[in-house]
Amino acid sequence: GNSVTQMEGPVTLSEEAFLTINCTYTATGYPSLFWYVQYPGEGLQLLLKATKADDKGSNKGFEATYRKETTSFHLEKGSVQVSDSAVYFCALPYFSGSARQLTFGSGTQLTVLP
Amino acid sequence: KAGVTQTPRYLIKTRGQQVTLSCSPISGHRSVSWYQQTPGQGLQFLFEYFSETQRNKGNFPGRFSGRQFSNSRSEMNVSTLELGDSALYLCASSLGQGKYTGELFFGEGSRLTVL
């Protein structure tokens, strides 16, 4: 079945530092890939996605490139802000008949210090 | 457009009791999914409902159940609560049909503490 392996946290960075959170996946075919973010006290929200190999998803300064050769979808940001402190989840879909669900990675807690 | 609404936001129960959590999806969304979030296990899929039918179920014991009403609102129930059921329960809605986008809209969750 589909699975996601995500970089363990927590990650602590200073403001304006470069961020990379690693994500690799195992799946049949080439599914869409997603990054979700959970800010403190809130539910998850979609951060970005890529629907096919070599696609780059981007949003709010974050980027991730779908690399089928390495089955990876690493999240990057060139200059993090304190407001980026949150938990980040890599995810891919799983289909079973008409059912649809997302399989999430373990999550990476990011803390950005001023 | 109102977001996904979950009630109650916080609740405390004792072992052996049961609990019912409610979720109102975004208007027009017919699919509701439930996830359990714990520090140790992360996000685990509980079940998904579409048009009042359970389409998929995760690997949870029968104490966990759910249903969906004709207005797409959903409830989940946990009976005979155990300490390990303490978690944040997240509900997510989506259109549930047509081209799959993978975008789920999550509520803020119901935090259950079992004493």
Side-chain angles (χ1 to χ4, degrees):
Chain A
N2 292 0
S3 66
V4 178
T5 300
Q6 194 174 333
M7 169 180 166
E8 294 289 331
V11 174
T12 302
L13 296 173
S14 298
E15 208 165 22
E16 300 183 3
F18 183 83
L19 169 70
T20 299
I21 301 177
N22 291 339
C23 170
T24 58
Y25 67 90
T26 302
T28 302
Y30 302 106
S32 298
L33 299 171
F34 308 90
W35 277 100
Y36 276 77
V37 59
Q38 185 178 32
Y39 296 103
E42 299 183 11
L44 280 72
Q45 57 185 271
L46 180 65
L47 179 60
L48 54 83
K49 67 178 182 181
T51 57
K52 60 182 187 295
D54 299 326
D55 257 5
K56 177 184 285 188
S58 61
N59 186 26
K60 299 182 180 180
F62 291 89
E63 292 184 337
T65 302
Y66 187 154
R67 301 205 184 279
K68 65 178 181 182
E69 313 81 25
T70 54
T71 61
S72 65
F73 192 54
H74 304 324
L75 182 68
E76 297 180 334
K77 187 174 186 182
S79 176
V80 293
Q81 305 300 312
V82 172
S83 57
D84 294 327
S85 298
V87 182
Y88 293 82
F89 295 90
C90 186
L92 75 163
Y94 169 77
F95 299 101
S96 175
S98 61
R100 311 158 182 214
Q101 69 185 73
L102 285 177
T103 298
F104 289 92
S106 56
T108 301
Q109 171 81 55
L110 169 66
T111 301
V112 181
L113 303 175
Chain B
K1 201 177 201 182
V4 177
T5 304
Q6 290 189 246
T7 57
R9 290 291 314 279
Y10 303 92
L11 65 167
I12 299 173
K13 295 286 186 179
T14 57
R15 278 183 299 174
Q17 287 187 310
Q18 75 163 15
V19 66
T20 298
L21 309 178
S22 179
C23 172
S24 293
I26 290 172
S27 177
H29 285 188
R30 293 168 61 189
S31 169
V32 173
S33 301
W34 289 90
Y35 288 82
Q36 182 196 64
Q37 185 177 21
T38 60
Q41 300 297 318
L43 279 160
Q44 293 188 286
F45 172 77
L46 280 157
F47 23 66
E48 186 223 1
Y49 287 87
F50 177 79
S51 290
E52 302 179 67
T53 300
Q54 186 183 88
R55 286 203 295 200
N56 201 7
K57 188 177 194 303
N59 189 26
F60 278 81
R63 300 185 296 106
F64 292 81
S65 63
R67 58 178 175 168
Q68 187 180 34
F69 303 95
S70 58
N71 62 357
S72 295
R73 190 178 70 84
S74 176
E75 290 181 346
M76 68 162 283
N77 184 275
V78 188
S79 62
T80 320
L81 284 166
E82 301 177 359
L83 295 178
D85 297 333
S86 294
L88 180 67
Y89 290 88
L90 291 165
C91 165
S93 76
S94 66
L95 290 171
Q97 60 182 349
K99 182 175 165 58
Y100 182 70
T101 65
E103 182 165 9
L104 298 180
F105 295 83
F106 283 83
E108 294 179 316
S110 293
R111 184 165 295 281
L112 170 66
T113 301
V114 182
L115 301 177

